[in-house]
Amino acid sequence: MALLGPLFCVSVFTAGPVALKAAKVTWPGWILPALAATGGVLLLVATPLMQARLDTLIEWARSRGSLEQKQAEVLELVAGSDRKLPLVREVRDRALLGIHPAIPLPLGADPRLSVELPTYVPRDLDAQLHAALRRASVESGFVLIIGRAASGKTRLAFEAINSELGDWYLFMPSKADHLTAYLASGADLSRTVVWLNETQDFLGAGQLTIETVRRFLSNPKRPVVIVGTMWPEHYSRLRGSAVDGEGRDPDKNSKRILELARLFTLDERFSSDERARAQDLAHMDPRIEEALRHEEGAHLAQVLASAPELILQWLQILDPLAAAVVSAGVLARRCGHRDPIPAMLLETLASSCMEGAQRASVTDADWFVGAVADASVLVRGSVAPLTPEASTIGHVDGYCVADVLVQYMQHTDPDYEQVSEEQWHLLIDHSAADACVRIGQSANFLGRSSLAEHSWRRAAAAGNSDGMLLLGMMTESRGDYAQACIWYEQAAQAGQVGAMENLGVLLGGLGRAAEARTWLQRGADAGSANAMSNLGYLLKREGSVPDAERWYLAAASLGHVGAMVNLAKVLHERGEIDIAVEWYRRGAEQTYTAMVAKAAEIGIWWSCEGSDEGQSAALLEYAEILLESGSLDDAHEWFERGATQLGDPRAAARLADILEMRGHGEQADAWLRRAAEMARVHLANYRYILLNAYGEAGVLRHARVMHRLALKSAEVGEAVDCEKWARLAAEYGDREAMRTLWELFEEQGRRIEAAEWRTRAGGER
C-alpha cells in the first residue's frame, strides 16, 4: 500500500504530457501531471483516515448498542417488561412503595377514598422536606428520613415527592447492584427520583459505594434526587460503628454516604398541630376517626398500621407454636437476616424459641405448616405477624416478619440478651452466604467478634467476596498481615473492589510496592476513587509525578477530598497557583458541608484528622493560602469554620494568630486555650486513628498546639498552666515541650525533675 502513491505519481508524470499533446492543450506539460498526482496522493492518504473514522463509528455504534442492551436489562429488572421507568405520580401501589398496610376501610365508606392508603395527615416536617426537595430538584441531592417502624416516614416521603416531583421518573431498585448497573449503562438519569426505602439494605460491604452515590449526584445539569428512609437503630449502628485498633472501620463507606444526606427525623408521636389536622380529616376518612378513638397507649400512625394489635396477637393470642415461629422471625431479623426468611431456617430457630417441655409436647410432624398458617392470619384484615413471599407462583421463598414486631423487640431487649449463643450459631449455620455477611456485621457491632468471624468464614467458604473482605479487615486489625493479604487477594480475585484498595494499601505499607501498584491499578480501573488516590500517592512517592497527577485528578473529579488536596499540592509545587487554590477551595467547601451536617447530628465538635482523606487538610491549606495572599478576612472566616464546625485544634490556633495580628489579644488567648483543649480531647480519644493515618506526625501536630498554650502561659507568668500544658504535650512526644519543662523546673529549683526532662529531651538547648 505504501508504494502505490509513488507509483501513481511516476505513471501520471510519464503519461500526462502525452495526453496534453494529444488533446492540443497549451498548458505547460508538467501542470496536469502535478495536479493529478497531488489528487492521487491526497486520495491515498485520505482513504486510511476515512477508514479509521469509519472503524471508530462502527465501534461507537457497537458500544452504544451494548449500553442500550445493558439499560434494557436493568430496566426490565426494576421496571418490568415495558422497560421504562414510571413517573412518580403514576405509582400508587402501597406495597411497592414499602408503606405499611393500614386498618381496612369499612363497608359503606366513601368510594372516592383509597382502599390502600388512608387520607394523608399533613406532618410538621412537610414544609422543610418540600423545600429540600425543591432545592435538590435544581442541583441534585439526597434526602434521608429517619423514623421508627409505622411512624409514617415512608408515607411522608412519598407524599412529598408526589407533590414536588410528580412528573419526574421513579427508579425503585430492589438491591444496590441495580443502581450500579443502571449508572454503568450510561442511561439518562436526569429528573429521576431514586427511591431507597429501608436505605440500610443498600449499605454495607459489597453494597453501594460513595463513588456511585456521588456520580448520581454530580451533574447539576441532569438533576437526580435520592430519597431514603431508615430506622433510628440502623442509622445509629452505621454512624456509630467502632474503629478497630488499626484505624479501620468496616462501615466507613456507609458513613460517608450518609454524610451526603440531608436528614429529617420523624417522631412517631403526633404533635398537637398534627392531631388537630387528623381531627379535621376524621369526618372524611373513618380509618382516621377510628385511629383517634383507639390511640391510647400507642401513636396515631401506629394505630393506623395496626401495630398494637400485631404485638398483642404475637404475645398473647397466637398459639404457642405459631408465636415461636414469629419469635424466630423476629430473632433472625434482629441478628441481621433480611426478609424473606427461608422456611427451613425459620423452623430450626422456632424450635430454639420453645421451652423443652413444649418441644416434647409436639407430636404432629407437620406442626410447622400449621404454625405458619396461624401466624399468617391477617390482623383486622390488613397485616399479619408473618407474611409468605414468593417470586414465582406456587413456590414460597420465605416469610417476612412485621417490622413493628422487630422494633418492639429492639426496645424490649436492646442488648440482645435474649439471643443465646446457640441461637446465633443456628442462625449462622443455616443461613445463605449473603445473609451470613450481614449476620456477621450485626455480631461484630455487638462486640461478638468470634461469632462475626464464624459467620464471615461461612460466607467466604461459599465464595462470597464480601465475607472475604471483612475477614481481611478483621485479621489486619489483629496485626496478622500475612493472613489479611490472603483474604484480600481472594476477595480481589473475585472482583471485590474494596479488597483491591485494602490489599494495595497494605502491600504498600509492607514495602511491596510493585504488588501494591498492581492492585491499586485494578481498583482504579474499576472506578474506585480511593484506589485512584492511593495509586497517585504511591506513584508520586516513586517519582512518577505526571502519572500521580493524572490519578489524583481522576479521584478528585469523583469528589475525593484527599485527592483534591494532593492534586493541589502538586500544582502548587509546579507554580500553578490559581488552579491549586481552586482545588483547595473545592476540597474545603466539600469538607465544610459534610462536617457541618455531621456536627449538627451528633451535637459535638468532630475533627476529620483521623480520616484517611485528610479532610481537615483541605480547609486548612486553603485558609493558609488565603492568609499568604493577604486575604485576611477570608482566611479568618475559613479558620473560624474549621475551629467552630470541625473542632480542629490547628484551625483554632491559627484563628488565635489572626486575632492576635488584628490586636484582639483577649479573643486570641481564648481561642488558643480552646485549641489546646480540643487537641487534648482529640488525642485522648483518637490517638490510635492519628497514629494509623499519619504516624507520630499526626499526634505531634496536636501536641504542638498544647505546647503553644504552655509557652503563652509562661509569658504571662502562669507557671501552673505552663507546666500542665507542656507536660501534656511532652507525654505525646513533643521534644520542645520537654525542653520547656526542663527549663521551667530548673528555674523553680526542681533539679531532679529538670534532669529527668533534660534526658528525655536529648540534653540540648
Side-chain angles (χ1 to χ4, degrees):
M1 188 70 175
L3 295 174
L4 287 179
L7 288 173
F8 183 77
C9 292
V10 171
S11 302
V12 171
F13 273 96
T14 303
V18 177
L20 284 172
K21 186 174 182 181
K24 299 182 179 180
V25 177
T26 58
W27 293 350
W30 59 270
I31 290 180
L32 181 61
L35 290 172
T38 301
V41 170
L42 289 174
L43 179 65
L44 291 170
V45 170
T47 298
L49 293 175
M50 292 172 67
Q51 183 62 48
R53 178 61 178 162
L54 182 60
D55 291 344
T56 300
L57 288 172
I58 292 171
E59 184 59 33
W60 176 85
R62 286 176 181 161
S63 175
R64 184 65 185 171
S66 175
L67 285 176
E68 289 176 351
Q69 178 62 30
K70 285 182 182 178
Q71 291 171 26
E73 290 171 359
V74 177
L75 278 172
E76 188 166 5
L77 285 171
V78 300
S81 58
D82 57 356
R83 296 183 180 179
K84 67 176 182 179
L85 295 176
L87 298 179
V88 169
R89 64 169 179 265
E90 294 173 345
V91 178
R92 307 302 300 179
D93 188 321
R94 172 201 58 74
L96 190 63
L97 294 165
I99 298 173
H100 280 281
I103 55 180
L105 189 67
L107 294 174
D110 188 336
R112 291 173 296 179
L113 292 173
S114 167
V115 175
E116 288 239 314
L117 293 171
T119 302
Y120 178 65
V121 177
R123 307 298 296 265
D124 293 343
L125 275 180
D126 281 343
Q128 296 176 51
L129 180 57
H130 286 229
L133 289 174
R134 285 194 294 272
R135 282 196 300 274
S137 70
V138 175
E139 55 190 22
S140 292
F142 178 13
V143 169
L144 182 64
I145 301 169
I146 307 295
R148 301 195 183 283
S151 63
K153 61 185 180 299
T154 308
R155 182 72 187 276
L156 169 76
F158 177 70
E159 293 295 335
I161 63 170
N162 196 49
S163 173
E164 297 295 338
L165 309 171
D167 59 346
W168 282 40
Y169 294 106
L170 184 61
F171 182 24
M172 296 181 287
S174 58
K175 55 183 181 178
D177 288 351
H178 292 167
L179 272 171
T180 307
Y182 198 55
L183 186 63
S185 73
D188 182 4
L189 292 165
S190 58
R191 295 174 62 81
T192 298
V193 175
V194 179
W195 183 256
L196 300 184
N197 192 47
E198 302 296 343
T199 304
Q200 72 277 355
D201 290 344
F202 297 85
L203 303 178
Q207 301 293 315
L208 270 183
T209 66
I210 184 67
E211 290 85 6
T212 298
V213 176
R214 281 177 176 156
R215 286 177 67 188
F216 266 102
L217 303 175
S218 63
N219 189 346
K221 294 180 180 178
R222 294 184 174 183
V224 173
V225 176
I226 301 175
V227 178
T229 64
M230 188 181 286
W231 289 3
E233 292 90 339
H234 294 308
Y235 185 79
S236 297
R237 178 180 64 80
L238 291 169
R239 291 306 308 271
S241 59
V243 179
D244 61 32
E246 292 292 317
R248 289 198 180 280
D249 180 355
D251 283 322
K252 177 182 174 183
N253 181 75
S254 301
K255 286 181 181 177
R256 292 166 65 197
I257 291 173
L258 293 175
E259 284 171 6
L260 298 177
R262 170 76 187 278
L263 291 184
F264 293 88
T265 302
L266 182 65
D267 193 334
E268 68 265 35
R269 296 168 297 185
F270 271 42
S271 69
S272 57
D273 288 341
E274 289 171 335
R275 289 194 84 263
R277 294 180 206 122
Q279 287 166 347
D280 289 341
L281 293 169
H283 72 281
M284 298 171 50
D285 193 324
R287 290 165 294 192
I288 296 176
E289 181 183 20
E290 182 179 351
L292 285 168
R293 194 167 58 246
H294 294 94
E295 68 171 328
E296 185 178 353
H299 305 303
L300 188 65
Q302 293 176 331
V303 176
L304 281 169
S306 301
E309 288 93 338
L310 278 169
I311 296 168
L312 184 67
Q313 182 84 352
W314 172 34
L315 298 179
Q316 297 185 29
I317 298 175
L318 278 180
D319 171 88
L321 296 181
V325 170
V326 175
S327 296
V330 171
L331 185 153
R333 280 281 305 279
R334 291 195 68 202
C335 294
H337 199 294
R338 284 181 177 175
D339 283 334
I341 303 161
M344 184 179 294
L345 172 60
L346 204 59
E347 183 174 357
T348 301
L349 285 175
S351 176
S352 75
C353 293
M354 301 177 194
E355 297 292 337
Q358 186 181 0
R359 283 193 290 269
S361 68
V362 177
T363 57
D364 184 356
D366 293 328
W367 71 270
F368 179 71
V369 175
V372 164
D374 289 346
S376 302
V377 173
L378 296 176
V379 173
R380 305 194 65 185
S382 58
V383 60
L386 205 66
T387 306
E389 184 169 306
S391 54
T392 57
I393 294 173
H395 176 74
V396 175
D397 299 322
Y399 297 87
C400 303
V401 66
D403 283 350
V404 292
L405 302 183
V406 179
Q407 193 144 74
Y408 171 80
M409 204 60 202
Q410 295 276 38
H411 291 292
T412 305
D413 179 30
D415 298 322
Y416 291 61
E417 291 179 358
Q418 294 184 32
V419 182
S420 68
E421 188 87 3
E422 177 197 1
Q423 288 172 325
W424 276 104
H425 279 282
L426 285 173
L427 179 61
I428 293 167
D429 294 341
H430 291 82
S431 292
D434 58 343
C436 282
V437 170
R438 290 189 169 272
I439 294 165
Q441 289 173 317
S442 295
N444 196 53
F445 175 71
L446 293 167
R448 311 288 292 272
S449 57
S450 60
L451 287 170
E453 183 172 2
H454 174 49
S455 194
W456 291 335
R457 281 186 179 277
R458 282 207 73 246
N464 186 288
S465 63
D466 297 334
M468 299 170 193
L469 168 63
L470 289 164
L471 283 169
M473 295 173 70
M474 176 175 274
T475 50
E476 183 180 358
S477 71
R478 294 173 180 163
D480 188 351
Y481 302 131
Q483 187 60 47
C485 285
I486 292 171
W487 283 119
Y488 283 148
E489 186 164 359
Q490 287 185 29
Q493 294 287 10
Q496 171 57 257
V497 178
M500 297 174 194
E501 298 169 11
N502 288 359
L503 180 57
V505 171
L506 179 55
L507 290 169
L510 294 173
R512 295 157 64 178
E515 295 170 86
R517 195 163 50 249
T518 297
W519 286 109
L520 288 173
Q521 180 76 58
R522 285 185 60 174
D525 290 341
S528 165
N530 274 336
M532 295 173 190
S533 183
N534 281 302
L535 180 57
Y537 175 80
L538 188 64
L539 291 166
K540 187 172 186 295
R541 193 173 68 183
E542 294 175 349
S544 303
V545 178
D547 289 335
E549 183 179 347
R550 178 167 59 88
W551 285 113
Y552 283 151
L553 178 59
S557 299
L558 291 174
H560 194 289
V561 175
M564 293 178 191
V565 174
N566 288 331
L567 176 61
K569 287 180 178 177
V570 169
L571 294 165
H572 202 169
E573 290 167 3
R574 201 164 61 222
E576 297 182 30
I577 306 299
D578 291 344
I579 307 175
V581 169
E582 175 60 21
W583 278 112
Y584 279 132
R585 185 195 65 76
R586 288 179 62 178
E589 290 281 5
Q590 187 163 311
T591 295
Y592 180 70
T593 301
M595 298 312 295
V596 166
K598 183 188 290 185
E601 291 163 37
I602 62 179
I604 60 171
W605 68 266
W606 182 273
S607 170
C608 305
E609 179 66 37
S611 164
D612 67 1
E613 292 183 327
Q615 291 177 311
S616 284
L619 188 147
L620 292 170
E621 294 278 3
Y622 182 51
E624 290 289 355
I625 286 175
L626 290 169
L627 187 60
E628 289 172 13
S629 66
S631 302
L632 200 60
D633 289 343
D634 290 338
H636 184 134
E637 177 188 348
W638 279 101
F639 281 130
E640 189 169 14
R641 287 184 178 187
T644 57
Q645 298 294 345
L646 307 190
D648 190 289
R650 295 167 299 164
R654 294 299 278 147
L655 178 58
D657 291 337
I658 291 178
L659 289 165
E660 189 74 45
M661 290 166 56
R662 290 182 152 178
H664 303 304
E666 289 186 7
Q667 293 180 45
D669 290 348
W671 270 110
L672 183 57
R673 185 166 293 278
R674 286 179 66 180
E677 289 287 357
M678 290 175 184
R680 180 183 64 80
V681 173
H682 198 86
L683 282 168
N685 292 339
Y686 308 112
R687 183 170 185 252
Y688 61 92
I689 300 179
L690 290 167
L691 282 169
N692 184 68
Y694 296 102
E696 290 293 344
V699 172
L700 283 174
R701 281 198 292 268
H702 286 67
R704 284 167 186 158
V705 172
M706 295 190 290
H707 183 225
R708 280 190 56 184
L709 182 58
L711 294 176
K712 184 71 176 178
S713 300
E715 286 177 15
V716 296
E718 295 176 356
V720 174
D721 267 6
C722 175
E723 180 181 343
K724 168 189 170 182
W725 290 107
R727 190 182 292 276
L728 281 168
E731 292 296 345
Y732 285 109
D734 187 338
R735 288 188 176 276
E736 292 299 323
M738 297 175 193
R739 293 188 183 97
T740 296
L741 286 171
W742 164 22
E743 293 169 357
L744 177 66
F745 293 149
E746 275 194 345
E747 290 174 6
Q748 295 177 345
R750 297 159 65 179
R751 297 181 181 279
I752 295 175
E753 292 169 279
E756 176 191 343
W757 284 106
R758 177 180 179 176
T759 302
R760 291 181 63 175
E764 298 177 4
R765 294 253 182 210

